[in-house]
Amino acid sequence: MKEQLPPKYMQLKEEILTWITAEQFKPHDKLPSENEIAATFSLSRQTVRQALGELEAEG
């Protein structure tokens, strides 16, 4: 039986959290645009929006 990977938006959310905790981005720095993130990870903008929306909701 194959191990199920988390949805892509959850994987992206964890990656963005890694950027923040690794201090690649300081408080008040802007993250790359939705389009830039989508292109970097070969994802749709909707997937990127979902990941960013969850991060925003979590504070």
Side-chain angles (χ1 to χ4, degrees):
M1 190 159 147
K2 284 188 177 182
E3 183 180 328
Q4 294 245 341
L5 293 175
K8 289 182 181 183
Y9 78 92
M10 292 291 290
Q11 293 177 46
L12 177 59
K13 179 180 153 187
E14 291 303 316
E15 179 64 24
I16 294 170
L17 281 173
T18 300
W19 295 349
I20 294 167
T21 58
E23 297 184 1
Q24 286 181 294
F25 293 94
K26 300 199 180 352
H28 306 289
D29 281 355
K30 288 187 178 184
L31 292 174
S33 71
E34 289 177 358
N35 286 333
E36 291 170 325
I37 295 172
T40 298
F41 292 96
S42 300
L43 297 170
S44 70
R45 278 187 57 210
Q46 180 59 37
T47 300
V48 174
R49 259 191 224 127
Q50 189 170 5
L52 293 174
E54 285 207 3
L55 286 169
E56 183 177 13
E58 292 173 7

